[in-house]
Amino acid sequence: MNALFIFKLVLVLLLLFIIFNLARALFIMVKGDTQVPMSRYLGRRIIFSVLVILLLLVALGTGLISTHPTPR
């Protein structure tokens, strides 16, 4: 497997996990369930969002991915 493919797969899985945590927090908010705090899922969403940004910055720094040049 290619390193770029694995990187993209990890990013997609992290983004899906972020969406899952956001939906879980929404479900708890709508349902009014107080057994599990909604902030747990929102906190996970923030942590994984920061992880995605850091992974993108590391990939840009190492040259794994590149930005598009500006149009002229």
Side-chain angles (χ1 to χ4, degrees):
M1 284 190 155
N2 192 357
L4 183 60
F5 176 74
I6 293 172
F7 176 74
K8 288 180 180 181
L9 183 66
V10 168
L11 277 181
V12 167
L13 290 176
L14 282 172
L15 291 173
L16 288 174
F17 192 65
I18 290 169
I19 291 171
F20 171 75
N21 280 312
L22 190 61
R24 186 78 175 144
L26 176 68
F27 181 73
I28 288 174
M29 182 179 69
V30 170
K31 187 178 175 186
D33 191 13
T34 58
Q35 292 177 350
V36 179
M38 181 176 55
S39 61
R40 173 187 293 175
Y41 297 106
L42 293 177
R44 285 182 187 171
R45 182 185 63 91
I46 292 172
I47 289 171
F48 285 110
S49 298
V50 169
L51 182 63
V52 166
I53 292 170
L54 288 176
L55 281 175
L56 285 172
L57 289 175
V58 167
L60 279 170
T62 59
L64 184 62
I65 59 175
S66 62
T67 59
H68 292 287
T70 57
R72 296 182 187 190

